[in-house]
Structures are given as C-alpha cells and as structure tokens.
Amino acid sequence: MTKKIYIKTFGCQMNVYDSNRMRDALMVLGYTETQKPESADIILINTCHIREKASEKLFSELGRLNQIKKKNALIVVAGCVVQADGAEILKRSPMIDIALGPQSYHELPQLVTQYNRQKGRKIVAQFPAESKFDSLPEPQKSSANAFLAIQEGCDNFCSYCVVPYTRGCEYSRSSDEIIKEAKQLVKLGAKEIMLLGQNVNCWHGDKGRDLGDLIQDIAKIRGLKRIRYTTSYPSKITQNLIQSHAKVKKLMPYIHIPIQSGSDRVLKAMNRQYTVAEYEKIVNDFRLARPDIAISSDFIVGFPGETEDDFEQTLALVERVKYASSFSFKFSTRPGTPASLMKNQIDEAVKTKRLMKLQKLLLSQQRAFNEATVGKELDVLLTERGKVRGQLLGYSPYMQGTVVRAPISKLGEIVRVKITDATATALSGKIIK
Ligand code: 5AD
Ligand code: SF4
C-alpha cells in the first residue's frame, strides 16, 4: 500500500507553495497526498508566525489530530513558528517528531526516511534559502492556478514584522531556474502562475533586470495564460513593472500594494520607506498604465502611538484610493520586534473599534467594485468545485471569486462569463457559449 501524507497549511501563499514543494519531495519517495488525516502516515503542519494566535492554531490542530491520527503516524511541524520557537514547541508537544524551519524543507525526505524516535526528535532550522531551492525536486503536481516562489525573505525590517527573522534576508532565484519551474507547472496543467515573494518586486535574480523583465520572459511560455505576482513593497516598484501592465496581455489587472497606514507619522514609526503621497503616486501610475486595474492592500490598525487623527487619515486614504479588496488587522505584538517594545501600545478595545470601522469601509468599496462588474463579460479561470453541486468556482482577471454552473469537465479552463450578480465577496454569472 502506498504511504500517505496529510498536509495542513496556515498562513500566506508562500506557505501554500512550500507545502506543495514538500509534498512533491515526498511524492518522489512514493507518498501520495490524502485529505484524510486519519489515514495518513505523515501529518505535516505548516505554520505561520505573523500574528499572535498563529502558534495557538498549531496547538489546537495538534490536539484535534491527536484524537484521530494513526498510532504510528509521523508528525512533522514546518514553517515560521519553528524558525521562531522550534525548541519551545517540541517541549510543549511531545507529539511532534520533526520540526523543520522554512529554509530546510529540502532535508525532509532524508529526515523522514532516517527518522528514529528512540534516537530523539529532530529540529532543523537553518538559513539561507539557496540550498533549499537548489535541492528540492521539480514540481510533481499543479493546480490550474499555480504558485511559484521567485524571491524570499526581507531586508526591510518594518518595526512590527517577524518575517526578516523567520524567513531570513532577501534572496532571489535566477530567471533560468524560475522559467524551468514555470514550464514544468504549465506542463502539469497550470494556466495561471502567481509569482511569490515577501517582497516580490525586489526580485533581482539576474544582474540589471527586474520583475517587469522577468514577467515579460515568463509571458512567452506557451500554454500559460495568466501571470500574477504578490506581495509588493510600495517604494521599490519600478516604472518597468508598472509599464508591464500596459504591455503584457497575460499580466492580470490586479496589484496588491500594502500601505499599512494612511498616516506619514505612523509609517515612519513602522519603518516603512515611503510617504502616503508617494504611495498614491504609484497607485496613480498603475492606473495610468492599466485604467481598469484592481488595487488591493493590507492595513494595520492600532500600531503603537496611533492617534484618532492618524486613524482618520487611514480612512481618508481609503476613501481616495478606492480599493477592490483588502486585508486589515489589529496590530499584534511580536516577540523580538522593535514595535513590541514601544511604550505607547493601544488599548485592545480601541483597536477593535478602529478595525471594525475600517473593515466596514473596505467592504463597502469591495461591494461597489464587484457590483460594477454586473452585466459585463469576464474571463474566469475555473479552479475548484463550488459549494453547490453543478457549480464551479473560479477567478476573474481582477481576482474576484466567481461562481458559475458548469460541468466538472470545465475545471482548469478559462471560460467567458456574463456576470449576473455580485455581493461584497463574490460574483456569479453564466458561461457564454
Ligand atoms: N500585527 C498585525 N499585522 C501584521 N502584519 C504583519 N505583521 C503584523 C503584526 N505584527 C500584516 C501586515 C502585512 C500582512 C502580511 O500582515 O499588514 O502586510
Ligand atoms: Fe506567516 Fe509570514 Fe511566515 Fe508567511 S512568511 S507563514 S505570513 S510568518
């Protein structure tokens, strides 16, 4: 009987990509993926450390799995929580056999085959990223919308963020390596590739070339229909990248540019390297290059020292930009970051009140953006089954989740859809023959 692996992924798209690569590495050893943890020989939990409660999720997941797992299932915990707190989590949960930091995933096959519980549990959490990318096997499986990491880590040191500590310093893969992987994903059925990096637009894998150049090369791959990238750092966006949105048809009209706050004072305390005016100029440039582009962002409310006036400035910024979608969070103190030591922490109740107000505004903008597509025809890449039988779910060029009635045979295809309805979170429509 083939051995099975069950994977549970928390956190960002980079973690989803990493989980896929670890699955691929074990597929080479003969494992197949299962959605049923009770039948798995290996249970892999890929963790996120970005905000508080993220590590709590790991322990509640371990508790749940402990009730149902096979007696001898190997428990592997990977990801940013391991990088930050590896020894601590091994101590807290005797269930864990192997703990693996984000730069050590290539060691998983060897760790699994040589693992011996009697000889002691293992923790591997090294830097840097090169060896990982060099040693992982090529993708073995792909969905229609694939992820591809081109850059990892971060040298920006925003004062609230753990990423520089968990993912290490910035590293870019070479374009040869990236194009090879992209071709392999297309061969395995990918129609869309999302290029990933913690600062994806800082990609510098080849001398003198930037992300815009890389996108233009990837666009030449036959069979690939769509390109996206995330997540971008505002002040490092080049005109070449912006102009790629005008030039490259396969590049989707969607850009995620986290601003975090609409107050220059707060941005400075966050150690973000731009002003609100500079940010708005970038947004404007994207809109000049590609007038229909959908803009999305991340926001943090309740950063230490954020006043009512600072928060009002964030609301005003949102009113001016008009976002198609967004993610917003209450500031969360992360151990080891400068912001966690700042004296002027904001009361939890104030954070909650501000978050609710901001989310209400963002949601109303998202609804307006979605409603504006009703009556239009959009290309939708169908990526998964809908909740209702006979329905499939896909994504519009603007990243809007879109539900249509379609036979399962259409999964993985791009169909033309007339949009008939919109809510704040999704579209629905009919496939046009
Ligand atoms: N508290 C709250 N939100 C955070 N983010 C990152 N670190 C923190 C933190 N300490 C948010 C930022 C970032 C997104 C991925 O997570 O908005 O863009
Ligand atoms: Fe979470 Fe950041 Fe790690 Fe992604 S890189 S899993 S967001 S801590």
Side-chain angles (χ1 to χ4, degrees), residues 106-357:
H106 55 295
E107 298 193 27
L108 181 60
Q110 203 193 355
L111 284 167
V112 163
T113 43
Q114 295 177 355
Y115 183 68
N116 181 340
R117 195 163 231 270
Q118 269 67 48
K119 286 203 181 139
R121 300 181 299 149
K122 278 266 179 201
I123 166 162
V124 187
Q126 290 140 344
F127 287 105
E130 282 105 316
S131 44
K132 171 177 73 174
F133 288 120
D134 286 349
S135 326
L136 279 164
E138 62 179 14
Q140 307 287 307
K141 227 169 123 179
S142 179
S143 51
N145 54 341
F147 290 150
L148 201 176
I150 65 165
Q151 179 277 341
E152 192 172 350
C154 179
D155 296 339
N156 292 328
F157 290 92
C158 301
S159 59
Y160 51 81
C161 188
V162 288
V163 169
Y165 313 99
T166 58
R167 290 276 173 175
C169 57
E170 237 186 272
Y171 170 75
S172 293
R173 299 175 74 189
S174 73
S175 61
D176 285 351
E177 206 181 310
I178 293 165
I179 296 210
K180 187 165 161 244
E181 190 168 320
K183 284 184 176 161
Q184 171 70 5
L185 289 167
V186 171
K187 209 166 104 191
L188 293 168
K191 297 277 167 49
E192 173 182 300
I193 291 182
M194 170 86 88
L195 305 173
L196 297 179
Q198 269 90 32
N199 290 280
V200 74
N201 59 315
C202 295
W203 179 83
H204 59 270
D206 308 328
K207 242 193 156 85
R209 297 170 79 247
D210 70 7
L211 178 61
D213 300 316
L214 179 68
I215 286 171
Q216 291 172 37
D217 285 351
I218 293 176
K220 292 181 193 138
I221 298 175
R222 281 184 58 186
L224 179 65
K225 307 282 189 219
R226 293 175 157 195
I227 303 169
R228 301 181 186 275
Y229 59 93
T230 203
T231 181
S232 298
Y233 190 84
S235 57
K236 308 233 170 104
I237 284 170
T238 62
Q239 279 301 322
N240 186 38
L241 178 61
I242 294 173
Q243 291 315 315
S244 303
H245 280 273
K247 281 192 269 188
V248 183
K249 262 183 89 176
K250 292 182 183 179
L251 185 57
M252 291 293 102
Y254 175 92
I255 166 91
H256 183 65
I257 343 176
I259 184 161
Q260 313 299 359
S261 166
S263 153
D264 283 338
R265 217 179 57 78
V266 174
L267 288 177
K268 197 150 183 240
M270 288 176 164
N271 194 29
R272 300 286 286 179
Q273 314 286 330
Y274 53 86
T275 62
V276 174
E278 284 160 0
Y279 177 90
E280 289 191 74
K281 157 107 177 41
I282 295 162
V283 168
N284 201 34
D285 287 349
F286 271 112
R287 284 182 165 149
L288 287 173
R290 181 76 206 234
D292 63 336
I293 198 161
I295 312 276
S296 83
S297 194
D298 291 341
F299 298 88
I300 297 176
V301 300
F303 186 81
E306 184 189 69
T307 62
E308 211 45 54
D309 180 58
D310 291 322
F311 177 64
E312 289 296 327
Q313 289 183 46
T314 298
L315 295 176
L317 174 271
V318 172
E319 294 278 10
R320 292 196 298 278
V321 172
K322 302 213 170 14
Y323 288 98
S325 66
S326 278
F327 302 92
S328 43
F329 315 98
K330 285 193 261 187
F331 168 74
S332 165
T333 48
R334 308 311 290 129
T337 60
S340 69
L341 303 173
M342 290 177 183
K343 294 271 174 290
N344 38 8
Q345 300 286 330
I346 304 294
D347 195 67
E348 199 56 31
V350 174
K351 287 188 201 171
T352 305
K353 206 176 95 213
R354 289 182 187 165
L355 185 67
M356 281 169 66
K357 200 163 173 189

